[in-house]
Every structure is written in C-alpha cells, then in structure tokens.
Amino acid sequence: MLQAFFQALVITLREGFEAFLIVAISLAYLRKSGRSRLMPAVHWGIAAAMAASLLGGYALFHAPNQELLDGPLAIVAAVSVTWMIVHMWRAGRRMKGDIEGRLKSSSVKPGTAAFTGVFLFTLLMVSREGMESALLLMQLRGTLYLALGATAGLVGAAAIAWIWSRFGHRVNLALFFQVTAIFLFVFVVQLVIRGTHEMAEQNYLPFSQIIHERTESWGPDSPFGHLLTYLLVILPGGWLLLRAVFSKRPVFTTPAPPALPDPPTQRHSHSAAR
C-alpha cells in the first residue's frame, strides 16, 4: 500500500507541477507583455480544465466492464508516459520559451479571438496534465493510500511551483524533470507488464495462454516486482546524487551579485567642479 502512496505522490507531483508551471509562466508572460486584460482567460481555462479532468477521471474510474479496459488502458498509459518522458527530457529547458511562444501567437489576435486563444491554450495544456494523472492513477491499487499520495503530491507541486515563482532563476528545472522521468520510466515497465498480463487474461493477444502464464511470475508480489519497487527509489536517487556531485550546474545556483551603479559622467564631474 505504501508503494501506491509513493507512486501516486510522484505522479501528481510531476503532473501537478507541470500544470502549475504552465499557469505561472502564462500569467507572468501576459503581465510582462502588457496583456493583463487576457489574464481572466487563463483563470477560466484553469476552471474548465479542472472540470474536464474531474469528469474524465470519473468516467475512467466508473466505466462499465472495468476489467475489460484494465489491460488496454495500462498500455495506453505506458505509451503516453513514454512520449512525455522523451518530450520533457529533450524540451524541459525550453519549456518556458515554448509556452511564451504559443501564448504570443494566441494573444496578438484582435478582440475576442485573443481571449479565446489564451483560454483554449490554457484549457488544453492543463487538462492534458489532469487526464494523464487520472490515467496513471487508475493503474494503482489502494484507495486510501492512493488518495493520500495524490493529495501530498498536489501540495508538493504547489509548493515547488511557488518556490519556482519566487526563486525560478535558482532552480534546475531540467534536473527535476530528469529525476521524475527516471521514476516514470520504471513505472512504465510496470505498466507494460501489467497491461500485457491483463490483455492476455482477456484473450486479446495471440498466444494469450502462454503470455498469461509467463507474466504471472512478474507481478508486484514477485521478486522481479519487488526489484522494480526498489528501483523506483534507487534509480532517481542515484541520478540526483550523480548530477549533484559531477554536474557543472548545481541543483541550486547562487544568485548573481547586484550590478554596481554606473560611474558619474564627465559632464556631471565638470558641473560639480564649478
């Protein structure tokens, strides 16, 4: 059950942080670019995305014939997470620029088109994170621990987002995405094994009987399942330690010293001499 808590925590921590980060970057960009009038579009987009995510999650958790969907949904979740890992590993450093570029193209439109563009951008970006969270959490077991882990992850994501908004220039976002990506990669292995086993149990695959028997010994209570559980902690922690020791860019960077004031011009010097 503690495994479900930890997995739910990391999933909502990462997905929640991405959602919070998208919102923070969007609001900061609109404010700095003089388009504060479009900030309500972000707020409405967040509300609509939360509603869509809750409805989508409810539909997934209460779908009829749930056992028939377990295997296919696990494979879909594995593919989705793999794409997300590759994308964020490659584009994590450019995330801020990508969001600002998309917002720029949406916010320069005339009249209500700009409001609609920013609203749709926020709705799609935030609801994507919410639906990914629902799809991943659906693969876990243990209702109480799952809820506690998901809540703790959202609180942690909000805290990290707040820290980023205050000290964003000091946080190594690329390292954060790399560490959570390693965790999710191990989780993907678990998803593929579980999805394949469930699909074989429902006779969705060729040679289903053989595949079902072979994957029976790879479950979460098997030695291999326990190894994957340990790797969920060991691999991300090891990568963080290696990067902290050997990387040229530390986890937290020291702020640059304040610039010295410019020396007085020659003209001011002559004026003072008079």
Side-chain angles (χ1 to χ4, degrees):
M1 294 301 180
L2 289 178
Q3 179 183 355
F5 172 87
F6 183 67
Q7 289 174 328
L9 185 149
V10 175
I11 289 170
T12 54
L13 177 67
R14 180 190 174 99
E15 300 293 335
F17 176 65
E18 286 189 39
F20 283 124
L21 194 60
I22 290 168
V23 172
I25 292 173
S26 300
L27 293 175
Y29 172 78
L30 293 175
R31 187 181 298 111
K32 291 180 180 179
S33 62
R35 299 182 177 93
S36 298
R37 71 185 188 281
L38 296 176
M39 291 173 63
V42 176
H43 300 151
W44 282 107
I46 296 170
M50 292 178 61
S53 299
L54 289 174
L55 289 175
Y58 181 86
L60 286 174
F61 276 94
H62 295 85
N65 298 323
Q66 188 78 52
E67 65 279 0
L68 300 179
L69 298 176
D70 281 349
L73 285 178
I75 299 300
V76 170
V79 173
S80 174
V81 173
T82 302
W83 178 88
M84 179 182 65
I85 290 172
V86 174
H87 174 72
M88 291 308 302
W89 193 289
R90 296 174 57 187
R93 295 181 180 180
R94 305 192 306 271
M95 184 177 182
K96 182 173 183 291
D98 291 343
I99 292 175
E100 290 181 348
R102 296 179 187 178
L103 271 178
K104 183 178 180 180
S105 61
S106 299
S107 60
V108 295
K109 299 176 181 178
T112 57
F115 187 96
T116 304
V118 174
F119 168 80
L120 291 177
F121 169 80
T122 307
L123 171 62
L124 293 175
M125 294 292 287
V126 176
S127 62
R128 183 190 68 183
E129 308 300 334
M131 289 304 299
E132 284 181 353
S133 298
L135 189 61
L136 293 175
L137 292 175
M138 186 180 174
Q139 311 304 319
L140 305 181
R141 294 293 183 265
T143 305
L144 176 60
Y145 287 90
L146 174 64
L148 291 175
T151 302
L154 287 176
V155 173
I160 294 176
W162 180 83
I163 293 172
W164 182 88
S165 66
R166 296 291 301 272
F167 311 103
H169 59 288
R170 299 184 60 184
V171 178
N172 190 339
L173 287 183
L175 180 58
F176 172 84
F177 287 125
Q178 289 172 7
V179 170
T180 53
I182 293 172
F183 170 91
L184 290 175
F185 176 77
V186 181
F187 188 55
V188 163
V189 176
Q190 293 179 325
L191 287 178
V192 171
I193 294 173
R194 179 172 178 268
T196 303
H197 181 76
E198 294 295 332
M199 291 177 69
E201 186 175 355
Q202 298 297 330
N203 292 317
Y204 289 156
L205 303 175
F207 309 106
S208 290
Q209 185 64 31
I210 298 176
I211 295 175
H212 184 267
E213 292 175 357
R214 297 290 176 86
T215 55
E216 189 72 40
S217 60
W218 295 358
D221 295 327
S222 66
F224 182 72
H226 291 160
L227 174 62
L228 289 179
T229 301
Y230 299 145
L231 291 179
L232 285 170
V233 179
I234 295 174
L235 290 183
W239 179 259
L240 179 61
L241 180 62
L242 287 175
R243 295 282 294 182
V245 173
F246 298 106
S247 176
K248 295 181 180 179
R249 185 183 179 190
V251 177
F252 294 98
T253 58
T254 56
L260 297 175
D262 295 333
T265 61
Q266 191 70 24
R267 180 179 178 180
H268 290 161
S269 300
H270 287 314
S271 300
R274 294 197 193 110

